[in-house]
Amino acid sequence: MVWRVPSAKKEVFLTFDDGPTPEVTEEVLSMLEDYNFRATFFGIGKNVEAHSEIWERVKQAGHHVGHHTQNHVNGWKVDKTDYLEDVYQAADVVNSPLFRPPYGRISPRKAKVLSKKFKIIMWTIISGDYDQAISAEQCALNVTKTLRPGDIIVFHDSVKAWPNLKDALPIVLKYIREKGWVSEALPMR
């Protein structure tokens, strides 16, 4: 599993889980474009099917994509056969070698099977944007307080995360730029 990208460059790797989501994903794309930053979007298969035009815009804008299961299933609560079926269904929809398990929950046995076909992407920093008990400022601080080159950062382009994401993401993008760094899409291999 990949938790960080070894890098001597001044780069970080912003990622967005759970989309594509109408309006939210489009706003995220606009913010990234303002900074000429690239990111990686881990789409839920059913959302990709429902909003394929937004998904195409993500790819056309130069971002990379990965899958996040078909139905956002928890790898600790679903048996191996059902979990793998859900992952493979999403892989057919998304068509990417990158996979991120929802909640970061995956058993070692499931990871062993999936790592033969996919690059399993975890993270270094999670923003907490989905947690409405914390502020957007705290979400941004969760990212910026320990940010180092090569870090993989998780945000969510979902309706649930949007109240924090809309204010936290601009703070983080500005911080990255002010440090003289960039955000890149994760390597596909």
Side-chain angles (χ1 to χ4, degrees):
M1 290 190 271
V2 178
W3 293 87
R4 192 165 190 279
V5 178
S7 180
K9 299 178 187 174
K10 293 180 177 183
E11 62 185 357
V12 295
F13 300 89
L14 292 172
T15 65
F16 297 88
D17 290 2
D18 297 351
T21 306
E23 297 172 15
V24 175
T25 304
E26 294 157 327
E27 287 294 325
V28 169
L29 289 173
S30 178
M31 289 183 213
L32 292 169
E33 183 179 1
D34 288 346
Y35 284 83
N36 196 30
F37 285 171
R38 297 292 167 262
T40 304
F41 289 77
F42 289 92
I44 297 172
K46 67 180 181 179
N47 290 350
V48 171
E49 289 175 324
H51 309 292
S52 59
E53 70 289 345
I54 299 171
W55 197 244
E56 286 305 312
R57 282 198 290 272
V58 168
K59 294 188 290 186
Q60 289 171 1
H63 304 288
H64 289 171
V65 297
H67 54 98
H68 196 50
T69 71
Q70 183 68 16
N71 298 292
H72 206 264
V73 293
N74 185 327
W76 290 352
K77 295 182 178 181
V78 177
D79 72 54
K80 183 179 172 185
T81 301
D82 290 344
Y83 186 80
L84 294 176
E85 183 178 308
D86 201 81
V87 170
Y88 293 137
Q89 185 179 0
D92 288 342
V93 172
V94 175
N95 189 26
S96 170
L98 304 181
F99 168 66
R100 173 173 284 154
Y103 314 104
R105 294 181 178 159
I106 186 168
S107 70
R109 289 187 324 173
K110 291 172 189 166
K112 184 176 180 181
V113 170
L114 291 173
S115 67
K116 293 175 184 173
K117 186 171 182 178
F118 306 109
K119 188 176 189 178
I120 301 173
I121 305 295
M122 300 305 271
W123 58 82
T124 318
I125 298 172
I126 190 158
S127 67
D129 55 354
Y130 54 84
D131 186 350
Q132 298 309 303
I134 64 174
S135 68
E137 292 75 19
Q138 182 60 52
C139 291
L141 186 60
N142 289 344
V143 175
T144 59
K145 69 182 175 188
T146 60
L147 191 62
R148 308 170 295 169
D151 281 349
I152 300 171
I153 303 118
V154 177
F155 284 103
H156 297 79
D157 56 331
S158 66
V159 170
K160 180 180 179 181
W162 183 240
N164 279 333
L165 179 63
K166 68 181 178 183
D167 295 323
L169 185 57
I171 294 168
V172 170
L173 296 175
K174 182 178 177 189
Y175 179 85
I176 293 168
R177 170 65 50 82
E178 286 175 350
K179 289 193 69 86
W181 298 359
V182 297
S183 173
E184 295 292 350
L186 287 164
M188 295 298 280
R189 293 281 172 203

